Amino acid sequence: MAGAVETGRALRGQVVLVVGAGSAGGIGYACASAAAAAGARVALADLPGSSIAMLERQLEGGPHSHHAIDATDPDAVAAMVADVLDRHGRIDAAVLAQGILRNQPFLEISLDAWDATFSVNTRSVFVVGQAVARRMAAQGHGRMVLIASNSGRMPRLETASYGASKAAVIHLARCMALELAGFGITVNALCPGSTATSMMIDNQAKGDLSRLEGVVKGSLEQWRTGIPVGRLADPEDQARAAVFLISDAARHITGQSLCVDGGQTFY
């Protein structure tokens, strides 16, 4: 994997909430680390039992904070937002990176599995996004990045529930952007392609990165495009894009879905 993300000090003095930051090998923690390196104070949030307390201590700068929550629970999310405000005074930006991936053939997806995917990937993004947006609206400014997926823009085998949940996040970002622009808030969806996260390595490679060579090359038999740049993304590739979108450099960008996927998606 790549080393520390160099982002200058684009977020100096900002307070950034990153939800889904409890895995050292995930996109959420990469975003938290990049935001801290860019000068932000970071509030990390993830499920109770995750590694957020340890991961907070590894961040550059500070003071930072960590918050153990179930992001699908509106009461827990409201309490988290209040705690972040108590510790940091405001929320300037938020990256919502929580998500789960369960690859299953369409004919075998149970309703419980479908609901579980949408609960984490879509419901929790709405719940946290609305709670944070209300605070940002009161402040008169804010930036949000919703981590979606290029699977929400093109079909893949055995990803009906995941792809549909991420497509919903992409459209949610567009609707939020339209309604929140008048409050000085920008909202964009970041759509990672195949990224060497712990989730992908565990789910698809079963711990063996060599099993992902077919992802890079593509497969006509599986109706899957390859990656023209010839490699998987690192979580840090996604983090660089997220930091850009929550920085002042992106102040005139809202309602967009940005694919960071090495050329997998051309539309």
Side-chain angles (χ1 to χ4, degrees):
M1 289 201 177
V5 177
E6 295 295 333
T7 55
R9 305 298 283 178
L11 302 177
R12 183 188 298 273
Q14 301 289 298
V15 176
V16 178
L17 169 66
V18 183
V19 182
S23 171
I27 291 171
Y29 183 68
C31 291
S33 180
R41 287 177 284 153
V42 181
L44 297 84
D46 212 317
L47 288 167
S50 65
S51 302
I52 51 174
M54 177 191 70
L55 293 173
E56 180 206 336
R57 293 192 292 271
Q58 297 177 8
L59 293 178
E60 178 182 335
H64 307 298
S65 64
H66 65 273
H67 310 265
I69 63 157
D70 175 356
T72 67
D73 181 346
D75 292 336
V77 169
M80 175 199 68
V81 170
D83 193 23
V84 173
L85 295 175
D86 184 58
R87 296 181 186 221
H88 300 288
R90 64 186 189 278
I91 302 174
D92 298 299
V95 179
L96 308 188
Q98 63 269 36
I100 58 173
L101 170 63
R102 296 177 177 177
N103 293 107
Q104 288 182 290
F106 174 74
L107 294 177
E108 298 176 13
I109 299 172
S110 68
L111 187 56
D112 285 346
W114 178 273
D115 288 344
T117 296
F118 268 78
S119 180
V120 176
N121 292 2
T122 309
R123 173 191 166 98
S124 76
V125 174
F126 163 74
V127 170
V128 179
Q130 185 182 64
V132 172
R134 285 171 173 162
R135 179 59 194 175
M136 289 178 172
Q139 296 171 171
H141 74 275
R143 305 200 193 288
M144 268 195 266
V145 172
L146 315 184
I147 304 297
S149 170
N150 68 354
S151 292
R153 294 182 51 168
M154 63 181 182
R156 288 178 179 162
L157 295 178
E158 300 189 354
T159 62
S161 58
Y162 181 78
S165 72
K166 292 299 188 177
V169 169
I170 292 169
H171 201 66
L172 176 62
R174 293 171 179 147
C175 293
M176 289 171 65
L178 185 62
E179 292 196 35
L180 298 175
F183 295 99
I185 302 169
T186 64
V187 185
N188 292 286
L190 177 61
C191 300
S194 299
T195 303
T197 62
S198 52
M199 182 170 71
M200 183 178 191
I201 293 169
D202 292 343
N203 276 275
Q204 294 182 248
K206 308 301 181 186
D208 181 4
L209 281 173
S210 67
R211 297 180 64 174
L212 297 176
E213 291 178 2
V215 175
V216 176
K217 294 178 181 178
S219 170
L220 288 176
E221 293 78 12
Q222 296 182 356
W223 308 98
R224 184 175 189 127
T225 59
I227 304 176
V229 302
R231 68 170 180 86
L232 297 174
D234 290 316
E236 292 79 9
D237 293 316
Q238 311 303 334
R240 290 183 178 91
V243 167
F244 166 69
L245 288 171
I246 61 174
S247 74
D248 283 345
R251 66 181 186 177
H252 206 59
I253 300 173
T254 195
Q256 304 304 306
S257 57
L258 173 63
C259 287
V260 180
D261 63 3
Q264 280 182 303
T265 309
F266 288 100
Y267 62 92

